Amino acid sequence: MTEEIAQCDVIVSQKFHGCVVAMMMGIPCIALSGSDKFVSFFEFFKKELFLTTANDPKLARRLISPMYEVSTDDITRIRAHAREGLVYARDANMEERKAEISEQHEG
């Protein structure tokens, strides 16, 4: 999927991770969702103008109007936040696993 995204000039997606991957690759992205995670993500990178819905009557114009560029700084921030999230998830998982093992040995 990542290889397919890399070949695109622009991404229009209802999927959060499709937007994240596109932006990490510097590919402009229009999100077809107003869910909190999309709003927070696009606000963080000051790209709120690229949040819309599938039934937006102006959607076609958004695709032909000049698109934004994803800056190198934005890409670096996306990757840093992704790494932080992975480290947090890994550490939480390891702590949970250690607690399970400890309970098994006590029981």
Side-chain angles (χ1 to χ4, degrees):
M1 181 66 78
T2 302
E3 290 175 15
E4 294 296 321
I5 291 173
Q7 295 178 31
C8 295
D9 295 322
V10 63
I11 296 291
V12 179
S13 181
Q14 290 180 308
K15 299 296 184 182
F16 181 73
H17 291 100
C19 291
V20 172
V21 170
M23 289 179 71
M24 284 178 66
M25 297 177 141
I27 299 168
C29 181
I30 295 176
L32 299 179
S33 176
S35 73
D36 291 343
K37 64 183 173 184
F38 279 92
V39 171
S40 295
F41 183 73
F42 277 73
E43 283 178 350
F44 183 80
F45 294 104
K46 298 177 177 49
K47 307 292 185 200
E48 304 94 323
L49 293 174
F50 297 94
L51 286 168
T52 189
T53 60
N55 60 358
D56 179 356
K58 297 178 184 176
L59 180 58
R61 274 187 270 160
R62 289 175 185 261
L63 292 172
I64 59 173
S65 68
M67 294 296 294
Y68 66 87
E69 290 185 21
V70 182
S71 72
T72 304
D73 289 343
D74 283 348
I75 294 168
T76 301
R77 287 193 306 176
I78 293 169
R79 289 182 177 157
H81 283 281
R83 274 190 221 99
E84 289 171 11
L86 288 172
V87 168
Y88 175 80
R90 180 200 64 203
D91 291 349
N93 190 357
M94 292 300 293
E95 289 302 316
E96 188 175 303
R97 184 71 182 125
K98 285 178 188 176
E100 289 173 2
I101 291 170
S102 178
E103 286 176 12
Q104 289 174 355
H105 288 317
E106 289 175 6

